[in-house]
Amino acid sequence: MKKLITILALATLLSACGNSETNTTTNSQTTEASKATETVSTEAKATKYTTYSGEGFSFAYPESWKSVDTSQMNVPSIKAAFSDQSSSATFADNMNLTIEASSTGSINPEEYANNIVDYYTQNGSSIGISDYKKTSYTNKPYKEYSAGVLEGAYKHTSGTDVVLVQYLIPTNTELYTMTLTYAKDTYNQDEIKDILDSLSIAVPLEQTATTGNTSATASAADFFNELTPYITEDTAFMEQASYDFFGKHNDVFPAITAELSKKVQGLVDSNVTTRHLNKNVANYYNTFVQVNGEVISVEEDSSLGATFSIVHVMDENGNDIIALYPATTGDLLDGDYATVIGAPITNFSFENVGGGYTNATLIGASLVVAD
């Protein structure tokens, strides 16, 4: 991870440059840029964006921006860079794409984001990023792959307040990072979204979970199986029928894309309620159920190398659901209302703070969304 952060720091030197530096590259292009195909987009915003096509990837950028010569930086991981050299401002809005080797094999984008925040906070001033502050982190899957967007702010050496946005797409072997840097006064959220959404990676990506030195396809069944005793304090365990069902539907745990979300919603048996689960949960091991209710508590844990959530929801009938969700719940907080879709694992009881016990159903959640 240290190696990755170092390379990111070098790449972000592009984000700390001003027009006094970038204007020297107005009439020059990188070797790769000269080989790339640049075509005006035929989409609705044809006059605004141009498409850059590199080796194995492409993305859109504002048509008025110019290619930045990165050859003198001696950082091969920087595959393309562009900046707005049309302004006389001391800071030039800019973007770059890096593809760097992964030294850890981690596929958790939030892990990379947290490490980047730590690096910028501790060492940012040495690379022209002073007073860096994290603004937000948001999961933004790239197709079916886990990815996320880290946004922060810092002070440029010219005194300009700057917004730094980084789209992180990790694989077992590489980390793709699209970095966009705007002066606070020219920050355009819609433009940034357009650029991020335009990123297309042509080469196959591989995201598998790693344990020690062994790499294996991430399994929802194993995840829920291992955590069920932990959640229930060793009072309950996953049955084979339940394990097999999760294995059959591994692709929707979690349902982090619009396509997967739609798929799992279509699998829900709307006739099954928490009352059915309370009566005999074993009858519904092979069933997707939906529960709506108030969030009593929500916790997130990253101790396994990837963030997972434990969400306690009480429905309108006063029945309790504990949803074990293999992802972050974003902005969901205690007191909110949420919809949980998943498959039941077991019924169990836990001790109340005020004494006594609460009966609940543990659900392996595919989808947890705020209402």
Side-chain angles (χ1 to χ4, degrees), residues 294-307:
E294 181 180 1
V295 177
I296 306 303
S297 66
V298 55
E299 304 174 34
E300 293 190 348
D301 191 315
S302 300
S303 61
L304 300 181
T307 300

Side-chain angles (χ1 to χ4, degrees), residues 209-285:
T210 57
T211 304
N213 294 321
T214 302
S215 177
T217 301
S219 167
D222 289 333
F223 170 78
F224 293 125
N225 184 47
E226 292 175 7
L227 286 182
T228 294
Y230 167 75
I231 299 297
T232 64
E233 297 182 343
D234 293 325
T235 61
F237 302 89
M238 178 181 282
E239 298 293 338
Q240 187 64 47
S242 180
Y243 182 92
D244 292 343
F245 185 74
F246 284 110
K248 180 180 178 181
H249 297 281
N250 186 72
D251 63 320
V252 296
F253 290 95
I256 56 176
T257 67
E259 182 179 355
L260 291 176
S261 175
K262 182 178 180 180
K263 176 181 178 179
V264 76
Q265 290 178 56
L267 295 173
V268 170
D269 186 340
S270 59
N271 294 316
V272 179
T273 68
T274 54
R275 293 182 298 167
H276 294 89
L277 302 181
N278 288 340
K279 182 178 180 180
N280 188 352
V281 70
N283 288 337
Y284 307 100
Y285 286 151

